[in-house]
Amino acid sequence: MRITTFNPLIVSRDAEEIISLFEELGFEKKHTPTVDRGDTKVVRTRMKDANGFHIDISKVESAPRDMTAIRMNVDNFKEAYDLLTAHGFKKAPGIEEVNLETAKALLMVSPSGFAIEIIEHIKK
């Protein structure tokens, strides 16, 4: 398994305020895809600064509180899932796996409580 992206991810109901803060810190919006999970929509904003640092901010109306996690894009979702599971990670409560034509993603939580979202972009 190869990691292709590794950066912070913030999940919040109030993403606009967080995005505004990071814009003041010099980050610019790069793209903002929306994932419709049926029961909830997730609006993801990918931002980048002049130094090449990235942050993702996800607006999730159903989020019970703000959460900071690590976004980890990988070239093999199953390998990443198996590796994290072997280290005691579990699927985050109340979060379902995302399966789209273009990506597969899952937020997982470690035994101590930190979170990693694994994402594999599906190339055609």
Side-chain angles (χ1 to χ4, degrees):
M1 170 198 72
R2 186 171 66 89
I3 296 172
T4 58
T5 303
F6 197 84
N7 62 265
L9 161 67
I10 300 172
V11 177
S12 178
R13 288 184 297 223
D14 192 16
E16 293 81 10
E17 185 177 318
I18 298 167
I19 290 167
S20 177
L21 167 66
F22 279 91
E23 285 174 330
E24 289 184 43
L25 290 170
F27 285 78
E28 296 179 3
K29 293 179 187 176
K30 289 303 175 186
H31 66 279
T32 307
T34 299
V35 175
D36 189 345
R37 293 185 174 170
D39 60 337
T40 188
K41 283 187 180 174
V42 177
V43 180
R44 299 196 92 159
T45 301
R46 182 127 175 102
M47 302 181 80
K48 183 178 178 182
D49 77 353
N51 296 309
F53 295 115
H54 287 89
I55 186 160
D56 290 273
I57 301 163
S58 291
K59 179 176 183 160
V60 180
E61 292 292 336
S62 62
R65 59 180 170 74
D66 286 1
M67 173 190 270
T68 303
I70 298 167
R71 170 187 170 147
M72 184 172 74
N73 285 21
V74 295
D75 66 350
N76 188 311
F77 182 91
K78 182 169 176 6
E79 282 183 33
Y81 177 86
D82 290 346
L83 183 131
L84 292 178
T85 301
H87 286 273
F89 281 74
K90 297 192 182 316
K91 179 178 79 79
I95 303 291
E96 295 303 316
E97 185 175 302
V98 174
N99 284 296
L100 304 172
E101 275 187 40
T102 57
K104 185 174 190 171
L106 180 63
L107 184 65
M108 300 186 73
V109 180
S110 75
S112 66
F114 74 91
I116 295 178
E117 181 181 44
I118 51 175
I119 302 172
E120 178 184 357
H121 287 284
I122 300 165
K123 298 170 182 77
K124 290 186 175 192

